[in-house]
Amino acid sequence: MTTGNPLASIGDAAGTVGGALAVSLLGVLVQLVLLAAVYVWTSLALAAVFRKAGLPSGRAWVPVLNIWMLFELAGMKGWWAAVIVGGGLLTAVIASVAGSLLLQSAQEAAFGGGGDGAGAILAASVVPTLLFLVFLAGVVILLVRMMGPLNRGFGRGGGFVALGALLLPVWASVIGWGAARWQGLPQKGLPPTPFAAEPVAVDTRGVPADTSAFAPPAPTSAPGPGTPAAASVPVHPWSPPPLAPVAAPVPAPAAPAAPPAAPAVAPGEQTELEEHTVLAAHRRPAASLRLPTGQTVALTSDTIVLGRNPAPPSDAPEAQPIAIDDTTRTVSKTHALLRRTGDAWTITDLASTNGVVVGTSDTEITVGTPVPLAGRFLLGDAELTLDAGSR
């Protein structure tokens, strides 16, 4: 008969338990590292998306708030993000309680308490799974509802809707770091474009310079007493009724003799009054700026700063600020600077997020470099038109 060493058995059991615990801790550590990596990746991608939409990029790092901002950007209520988080916690609690109750029923059945123990064990694994699947289905429906208008705002189609609903980090990476640009949500009754209508040129070549012919005819009076009928002027049928005849004025007393007339000016001589030059009535026409809303703003300064809420730069404190009512949400707070030199205008990009495009070009101008400007230009996706006021 052989007896083993009880101390050795206890040591082997302790070693086995310690190894299993170390493996479990390593698995938990690996999961935490993966979760942190996915969180950082998603936050960086969402920050790029928020910058394109004109939102603060720092909010992409705040859990729940970043999803809240996505719902609001899609035109939905932001508190749907809180509903998703609260629903996840509630589902976890209900699934845990239901699983515990079903496992307890299975134990009672196994120890002679009656009932179907195998069925209770199966239900303990199936019921929590079904609860989580129902919750995930609701989350996917909400995300699809959000991704529809959100992708239309970025000019993307249905494939991106499914990508955003199922793989949010991948969608945010493609939109934030790709070529997509925020165009704004289409408004009901309006065409889905952030650009204003092109100005219509008016042909004035056929308009006469003298418009006095369009003035109404001057009223004429009926002939007065003693006036021959032949000398009277015909009265226009639309003229007001003739006025009553006015009595002849009583002659006034003779006025005192007029002072002697000024001496005649010999030919070739000029009086002191003639030496003064009369100011001309015309001036250089004022320049104006046509905003994306169709409103026209007069430019009263030679330096103009543009943006959502522009502040004059330090090297041009006298600049006239013009705020852009931007429905595209692609205009920076302080976006660009207009400057007039003589009759010519230039535009400078003040390190904006979405750049400046001049004319029909598709290339953004270099930041900090003045570029000649005449007519149409883009601040992000917002279209403006400069009228330099030249004759």
Side-chain angles (χ1 to χ4, degrees), residues 280-358:
H282 64 274
R283 288 291 183 269
R284 179 175 61 181
S288 62
L289 189 65
R290 191 171 186 268
L291 304 182
T293 58
Q295 179 185 4
T296 300
V297 179
L299 306 184
T300 59
S301 175
D302 290 340
T303 308
I304 313 296
V305 60
L306 305 174
R308 291 198 321 271
N309 186 16
S314 57
D315 58 342
E318 77 286 355
Q320 174 189 358
I322 296 181
I324 308 299
D325 186 8
D326 176 32
T327 59
T328 69
R329 307 185 74 172
T330 57
V331 178
S332 299
K333 180 179 179 182
T334 301
H335 200 115
L337 184 73
L338 301 181
R339 192 183 297 275
R340 175 167 53 188
T341 304
D343 291 333
W345 285 86
T346 60
I347 186 169
T348 305
D349 187 355
L350 300 179
S352 64
T353 300
N354 292 304
V356 178
V357 176
V358 175

Side-chain angles (χ1 to χ4, degrees), residues 70 73-74 145-155 171 182 185:
L70 285 179
L73 189 60
R145 173 65 181 84
M146 174 185 71
M147 285 294 168
L150 198 59
N151 282 284
R152 286 196 297 271
F154 280 106
W171 174 87
W182 178 249
L185 297 179

Side-chain angles (χ1 to χ4, degrees), residues 201-211:
V202 180
D203 187 6
T204 59
R205 289 176 295 179
V207 180
D210 184 11
T211 58

Side-chain angles (χ1 to χ4, degrees), residues 255-267:
V265 180

